[in-house]
Amino acid sequence: MENINKILEMNVDGEFLQADGFDGAIIGYEQSTDKLIYDINEMVNILMDEGLSYEESLEFLDFNVLNCFMGEKTPIFVHTIDRG
């Protein structure tokens, strides 16, 4: 089950704004604001799986997703750090 489904089950009344095509990159949500949290590294991987290069993926995200304000429910985008 994808994380978005788990989050929606836990928050039946929650209203979340999703980044289209990136459900697989959701790593959680911010409880007080109902903002979804996305892993930017996984978003890049999703785009690369669709045929874009690493650089093209970063450029696409930067221009079309990461710097877009979509209102008070705009998702949070984070770079995760490998704990290994």
Side-chain angles (χ1 to χ4, degrees):
M1 176 183 289
E2 287 192 349
N3 286 341
I4 185 61
N5 295 330
K6 293 176 187 176
I7 291 169
L8 292 174
E9 282 182 8
M10 294 186 308
N11 300 283
V12 177
D13 295 327
E15 294 182 28
F16 299 98
L17 188 59
Q18 294 176 249
D20 291 336
F22 295 104
D23 285 355
I26 295 171
I27 58 173
Y29 71 100
E30 204 287 313
Q31 185 173 354
S32 65
T33 61
D34 282 343
K35 291 183 179 185
L36 292 175
I37 303 171
Y38 288 84
D39 178 348
I40 294 171
N41 300 324
E42 189 57 36
M43 295 173 82
V44 167
N45 290 336
I46 289 169
L47 291 171
M48 289 175 61
D49 287 346
E50 294 177 3
L52 275 66
S53 69
Y54 178 78
E55 292 79 16
E56 290 169 331
S57 298
L58 288 176
E59 184 177 331
F60 176 87
L61 288 172
D62 188 50
F63 187 77
N64 295 294
V65 181
L66 304 179
N67 292 310
C68 296
F69 179 73
M70 298 169 271
E72 67 181 42
K73 300 284 185 178
T74 299
I76 299 168
F77 302 101
V78 298
H79 288 281
T80 55
I81 299 172
D82 183 15
R83 294 181 172 206

